[in-house]
Amino acid sequence: MTDVAGAVLAALRRSAGRARLKIGVFYRGNPGLLCSLLAEGHATVVAGDRFRVLFRAAERLGLPGERPFAIVEARFAALPFRPSSLDALVLTAGLPRGADPAAAIRALTPFVRPGGAIVFPHPVTDGRRGALVRPFGALRRGTQPPCRRDVLCASAMSAGLREISQTVPPGRGGAPWVVTAGVVGRGGDRSD
């Protein structure tokens, strides 16, 4: 998923606008994206709800002391971040299954400082056919089913994000993903 990783990194650079970021990551797979995030040298906290997946990622990437990141096991509903403590929050494998997309995005906004970014890749469909995604990896394990790009954009808007951008990374073939990024508004102001 190097194309998705590139699109996520580009969205972070555009949206967060700082050289060194404090990034929170909710990890459910996609080690290529995680490696790319860690290679950037940002202070990173990786949280996830499946210990085995987190442990494999830590083994694959080396010990936490070798890179500026920490790994914490946590559920999506109880993320281990302090309010307004992050410059960016990244979901590595789409929005969690069973949640309303807008509610899931809204649940992330308290952890990100005003002006910070929320970035997530998500599988998409064109709305005319069934899912265009192969049933593998994170899609079988807790990721929201594919949805239309306009639904993702509207969900981000209703969650209070502004300056929303979407990028379709090249080279995904029969499994299209879109990377959605948005900037968290100031304080409780949702009208930005």
Side-chain angles (χ1 to χ4, degrees):
M1 281 207 191
T2 56
D3 295 328
V4 171
V8 167
L9 290 173
L12 279 174
R13 288 181 194 118
R14 271 192 320 270
S15 300
R18 286 179 159 178
R20 182 143 164 79
L21 303 172
K22 183 171 182 189
I23 299 175
V25 177
F26 187 69
Y27 183 76
R28 283 204 152 153
N30 194 349
L33 174 54
L34 186 57
C35 283
S36 296
L37 285 168
L38 295 174
E40 292 282 303
H42 301 296
T44 307
V45 176
V46 180
D49 60 356
R50 290 193 305 278
F51 182 76
R52 189 171 44 181
V53 173
L54 285 170
F55 182 74
R56 267 191 260 135
E59 270 187 336
R60 186 174 182 179
L61 299 171
L63 297 173
E66 296 174 12
R67 298 183 189 206
F69 77 103
I71 294 181
V72 179
E73 185 175 15
R75 295 256 176 238
F76 183 80
L79 291 172
F81 310 120
R82 289 189 320 269
S84 297
S85 63
L86 303 172
D87 295 312
L89 205 150
V90 177
L91 303 178
T92 61
L95 296 171
R97 180 176 290 282
D100 169 51
I105 298 167
R106 195 175 300 112
L108 300 173
T109 60
F111 303 113
V112 181
R113 67 169 177 76
I118 294 176
V119 181
F120 59 94
H122 197 79
V124 293
T125 179
D126 62 5
R128 295 180 298 225
R129 299 175 258 175
L132 301 175
V133 207
R134 291 172 282 195
F136 68 93
L139 297 177
R140 281 195 318 233
R141 297 190 181 122
T143 299
Q144 208 42 280
C147 58
R148 294 189 341 250
R149 288 178 62 184
D150 60 336
V151 170
L152 289 174
C153 189
S155 297
M157 287 173 59
S158 69
L161 299 185
R162 55 188 173 80
E163 299 177 33
I164 297 164
S165 66
Q166 290 187 317
T167 306
V168 180
R172 292 294 300 157
W177 286 66
V178 66
V179 174
T180 303
V183 175
V184 175
R186 289 171 182 73
D189 183 16
R190 300 260 183 227
S191 62
D192 286 346

